[in-house]
Amino acid sequence: DELDLNIMAFESLIDLVDPLKTLPDVALNACKTIVANDTKDKSASEIRGAIAALLRNGLLREVDKGDPIFSAFNETLKNLSLRLLSKIFANMLNKGRLETAIQDNNEWFLDTLIPSLVDAVKSAKNRPHDAFYASECLSALLSASKDLLKRADEENALCALEKAKVFGSTHHTSLANATERGITMLESHC
């Protein structure tokens, strides 16, 4: 039951931040709440913590390690986390609010998200859908912040995106297309 509830919670959040599935103002406020660095909002902080744990470790909880049922569950949650972030960043970028969100929570973006997103792109052969959403996230973030562009360069994101593009060109067209913008931005940065 707990597994299903966590999956449903992430799916509900994805719908909540999508301006095509809810009121645009509601979607934008949900986006800002999830990525803002508001220490008073415990639920948003817990969501960011869950996303960070899933992206960094592939686990929502350390006690799940090694259990095959929880392994599949955590893979699903990681994919949903990446999908959620891609919706959040696309919405905020579209509304001109992503740069401010990055500035307000710079450490989380620099130290947690960029390395984790690059790692997800590197896993394109095994987890192409994760790599697709991670590529979309990176493209949005890199277009909004020179600091994140620099950090992505330090994490060798260009190489990861290029390899994902090669794999995507024969196995996952959406992945190949999603890598294009990030590659262009990183090449112009170098």
Side-chain angles (χ1 to χ4, degrees):
D1 289 341
E2 181 185 344
L3 305 182
D4 292 337
L5 288 174
N6 282 308
I7 289 171
M8 287 175 19
F10 270 95
E11 289 172 340
S12 294
L13 285 172
I14 290 166
D15 288 344
L16 186 63
V17 301
D18 188 340
L20 300 175
K21 295 190 178 179
T22 189
L23 295 172
D25 288 346
V26 171
L28 185 59
N29 282 332
C31 292
K32 289 191 285 188
T33 298
I34 291 169
V35 298
N37 192 19
D38 184 356
T39 55
K40 296 174 193 163
D41 189 342
K42 188 177 179 193
S43 61
S45 180
E46 288 175 359
I47 292 168
R48 280 192 310 280
I51 291 170
L54 288 162
L55 295 183
R56 268 193 254 136
N57 311 320
L59 300 168
L60 187 57
R61 302 174 313 191
E62 195 62 32
V63 296
D64 299 342
K65 201 173 201 166
D67 185 323
I69 292 172
F70 282 103
S71 178
F73 161 74
N74 283 314
E75 286 178 6
T76 299
L77 283 184
K78 181 177 181 179
N79 180 268
L80 290 171
S81 294
L82 288 164
R83 193 167 141 211
L84 173 64
L85 290 175
S86 74
K87 293 272 188 196
I88 288 171
F89 299 153
N91 189 5
M92 293 185 84
L93 184 65
N94 186 41
K95 297 293 185 183
R97 302 293 176 93
L98 186 55
E99 188 173 354
T100 302
I102 293 167
Q103 290 168 352
D104 291 346
N105 202 359
N106 200 37
E107 186 177 318
W108 186 66
F109 283 93
L110 282 170
D111 298 336
T112 300
L113 283 185
I114 293 297
S116 297
L117 293 171
V118 172
D119 285 345
V121 170
K122 288 177 182 175
S123 72
K125 288 182 181 177
N126 299 322
R127 310 257 326 140
H129 297 299
D130 288 359
F132 165 72
Y133 289 122
S135 296
E136 286 194 329
C137 290
L138 279 172
S139 294
L141 294 173
L142 300 182
S143 67
S145 168
K146 297 225 183 287
D147 288 341
L148 296 185
L149 188 61
K150 182 181 175 198
R151 179 72 168 131
D153 189 39
E154 292 168 1
E155 291 290 327
N156 208 9
L158 181 59
C159 181
L161 287 165
E162 287 172 337
K163 287 179 180 179
K165 181 181 177 186
V166 169
F167 175 79
S169 66
T170 57
H171 295 87
H172 195 294
T173 304
S174 295
L175 171 60
N177 294 337
T179 60
E180 283 288 333
R181 215 166 109 215
I183 289 171
T184 301
M185 283 184 276
L186 284 161
E187 286 177 340
S188 67
H189 172 70
C190 296

